[in-house]
């Protein structure tokens, strides 16, 4: 049984049919990536999994448990944690306060301290800036903080939405190194990323979404070799 299953999901924004019979699955310990153009439905898929958008048809299951009708905050308590596109940190709060906000569902103080140590090990720059106002961090540091805040919730599965967006190339490399470290530690990850080349380097499998439909799914290696993927999403002629 897959850890996360999205089964024949249809979702709408008003009358706009945003997701059309989308089915994906992620096994425990995998990195799976969603590839597609802007507006293809990648972020909408994550929003639907997170409960921010309710599907009209289909089901979403975590370890066999149907989460389809749960509210977003209830889905968080089940262990599905999203790092949203654009970071969306609490800019007026300190770094430490942002991290504490990530742990609001956990009442185990020992676990919270262990998670905080993990975050500071992954992102030592955050440890140096615990009292700094989060809105004054650089873009790369804000992405680290958004990921750290998510890890404070002790996720079963981490949903990453465009983690490299707007970052300098050297910072993109750093973020993807962190994704690989998280994977090595056993974290299950669903990655939405426009940089298809980088995404397929770290993922084991991938799905290609076009206009709300899954049009292709395969191993990362085979998608990397696929002519359509290379032309459309990697810019090769």
């Amino acid at each position: 049984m897959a850890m996360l299953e999205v089964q024949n999901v249809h979702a709408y924004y008003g009358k706009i049919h945003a997701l059309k019979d989308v089915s994906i699955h992620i096994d425990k310990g995998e990195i799976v990536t969603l590839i597609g153009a802007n507006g293809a439905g990648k972020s909408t898929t994550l929003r639907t999994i997170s409960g921010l958008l309710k599907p009209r048809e289909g089901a979403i299951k975590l370890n066999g448990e149907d989460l389809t009708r749960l509210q977003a905050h209830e889905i968080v308590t089940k262990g599905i944690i999203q790092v949203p596109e654009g970071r969306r940190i609490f800019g007026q709060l300190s770094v430490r306060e942002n991290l504490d906000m990530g742990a609001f569902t956990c009442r185990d103080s020992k676990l919270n301290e262990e998670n905080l140590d993990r975050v500071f090990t992954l992102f030592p720059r955050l440890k140096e800036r615990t009292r700094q106002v989060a809105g004054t961090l650089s873009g790369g540091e804000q992405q680290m903080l958004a990921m750290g805040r998510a890890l404070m919730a002790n996720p079963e599965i981490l949903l990453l939405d465009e983690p490299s967006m707007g970052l300098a190339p050297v910072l993109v490399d750093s973020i993807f190194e962190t994704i690989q470290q998280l994977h090595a530690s056993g974290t299950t990850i669903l990655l939405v990323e426009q940089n298809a080349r980088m995404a397929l380097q770290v993922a084991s499998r991938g799905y290609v979404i076009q206009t709300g439909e899954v049009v292709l799914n395969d191993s990362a290696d085979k998608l990397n070799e696929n002519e359509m993927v290379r032309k459309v999403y990697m810019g090769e002629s």
Side-chain angles (χ1 to χ4, degrees):
M1 180 178 65
M3 183 178 192
L4 178 69
E5 296 175 279
V6 177
Q7 300 174 335
N8 307 109
V9 162
H10 292 260
Y12 292 75
Y13 290 114
K15 294 183 179 180
I16 299 172
H17 197 172
L19 297 181
K20 305 165 187 173
D21 200 33
V22 168
S23 293
I24 66 174
H25 75 273
I26 300 104
D27 294 328
K28 186 174 178 61
E30 276 194 306
I31 300 180
V32 173
T33 186
L34 303 183
I35 296 169
N38 281 334
K42 306 185 305 297
S43 294
T44 300
T45 301
L46 296 194
R47 287 174 55 81
T48 305
I49 293 169
S50 296
L52 299 170
L53 181 67
K54 292 300 178 187
R56 291 193 192 175
E57 298 177 43
I60 297 164
K61 297 181 179 181
L62 180 68
N63 296 319
E65 180 183 359
D66 193 340
L67 309 182
T68 314
R69 301 303 162 199
L70 296 186
Q71 298 300 310
H73 68 278
E74 295 173 310
I75 290 174
V76 167
T77 66
K78 300 294 183 180
I80 297 179
I81 311 298
Q82 183 170 345
V83 180
E85 179 183 341
R87 275 80 82 174
R88 299 192 186 180
I89 60 167
F90 300 101
Q92 301 304 312
L93 301 182
S94 70
V95 167
R96 178 58 190 267
E97 287 168 336
N98 269 269
L99 295 174
D100 288 342
M101 289 293 287
F104 83 100
T105 59
C106 182
R107 298 291 178 260
D108 185 333
S109 57
K110 182 180 179 181
L111 180 58
N112 286 338
E113 286 301 316
E114 289 174 355
N115 287 334
L116 186 64
D117 288 342
R118 181 189 184 195
V119 169
F120 286 157
T121 298
L122 279 169
F123 305 114
R125 215 175 307 180
L126 296 182
K127 187 173 184 179
E128 298 168 2
R129 291 162 168 74
T130 52
R131 297 183 181 181
Q132 186 170 333
V133 175
T136 65
L137 297 174
S138 69
E141 290 165 347
Q142 289 186 18
Q143 184 62 51
M144 294 174 193
L145 180 57
M147 292 173 70
R149 181 180 61 189
L151 293 173
M152 289 297 294
N154 207 40
E156 282 269 326
I157 181 166
L158 191 61
L159 311 182
L160 296 177
D161 195 354
E162 302 286 5
S164 74
M165 180 178 285
L167 300 184
V170 65
L171 293 176
V172 172
D173 290 343
S174 176
I175 290 297
F176 274 91
E177 285 174 10
T178 301
I179 292 170
Q180 289 178 300
Q181 288 177 319
L182 290 172
H183 176 239
S185 70
T187 303
T188 305
I189 298 170
L190 178 56
L191 171 65
V192 162
E193 177 57 57
Q194 278 207 305
N195 189 332
R197 194 181 304 277
M198 293 290 288
L200 291 172
Q201 285 179 10
V202 300
S204 56
R205 295 187 299 110
Y207 294 83
V208 178
I209 298 183
Q210 293 179 354
T211 59
E213 297 180 83
V214 174
V215 297
L216 185 63
N217 74 88
D218 214 325
S219 69
D221 288 342
K222 288 185 178 179
L223 288 176
N224 226 342
E225 297 168 357
N226 183 279
E227 185 177 358
M228 182 272 284
V229 171
R230 296 183 75 87
K231 284 184 177 180
V232 176
Y233 301 110
M234 298 182 186
E236 295 187 3
S237 56

